[in-house]
Amino acid sequence: MNYWLVKSEPDAYSWQEQLKNNIEPWTGIRNHQAKKNLQSMKAGDLAFFYHSNVGKEIVGIVRIVKEFYPDPTDPDHKWCCVDVQTVCTVPVPVTLKQIKTIPELQEISLIKQSRLSVMSITPEHWQLLCQLGQVLSQDIDK
């Protein structure tokens, strides 16, 4: 299994909307590196749902349930999307400010490539971020 972080501006698409919709296509990605990351996602992979611009925090976890396919919002048919399903809300949102203070997290793309909207997360960083957010394994295994 691989781990990811996907960003959304909450005024464009929020965690509350994800909770309501449960399964949703992750559309609108228009960056080549992010596209490659979407293409690398496999069904069953997990991703943190991160509110960017407003909040700047990890607020939830989603599971990839449909691997990459053409993005229906792209009239030029150059971009792709995946479908994500709600797994759980992060009990204690993990803020970017908090992440920046932790030496073990200084190499994650959220800090190194702050504009990248879809990024991989190592298993070690995933575990640490789950601990910070007080996410329990049974929350994910539901």
Side-chain angles (χ1 to χ4, degrees):
M1 175 185 312
N2 293 308
Y3 300 100
W4 308 92
L5 183 142
V6 294
K7 291 180 175 181
S8 182
E9 296 176 14
D11 58 343
Y13 186 72
S14 71
W15 177 246
Q16 287 66 34
E17 290 172 279
Q18 178 65 42
L19 286 170
K20 181 179 135 202
N21 296 343
N22 187 36
I23 297 176
E24 190 70 14
W26 200 264
T27 60
I29 302 305
R30 303 295 187 262
N31 170 284
H32 290 286
Q33 186 174 358
K35 176 184 175 181
K36 286 180 183 182
N37 289 336
L38 287 174
Q39 291 172 327
S40 297
M41 290 178 166
K42 300 295 179 202
D45 285 356
L46 295 171
F48 288 119
F49 189 110
Y50 179 86
H51 276 167
S52 62
N53 291 347
V54 177
K56 295 183 181 180
E57 59 191 359
I58 295 170
V59 293
I61 295 176
V62 294
R63 184 179 319 278
I64 309 310
V65 293
K66 184 175 180 182
E67 294 177 14
F68 82 96
Y69 61 96
D71 184 335
T73 69
D74 173 25
D76 298 323
H77 310 289
K78 294 179 183 178
W79 303 100
C80 65
C81 65
V82 298
D83 286 359
V84 300
Q85 181 175 29
T86 303
V87 172
C88 66
T89 298
V90 172
V92 178
V94 182
T95 66
L96 178 60
K97 184 176 180 181
Q98 182 182 12
I99 291 167
K100 286 181 174 182
T101 67
I102 299 170
E104 295 86 356
L105 295 174
Q106 296 311 297
E107 296 302 314
I108 67 171
S109 295
L110 189 60
I111 294 173
K112 292 280 193 182
Q113 296 175 286
S114 62
R115 296 189 47 81
L116 187 61
S117 60
V118 178
M119 59 193 68
S120 65
I121 299 288
T122 67
E124 297 78 20
H125 291 154
W126 178 268
Q127 291 300 322
L128 180 53
L129 290 164
C130 282
Q131 288 173 354
L132 292 170
Q134 297 181 12
V135 177
L136 305 174
S137 58
Q138 60 258 31
D139 295 331
I140 295 171
D141 296 335
K142 290 183 201 174

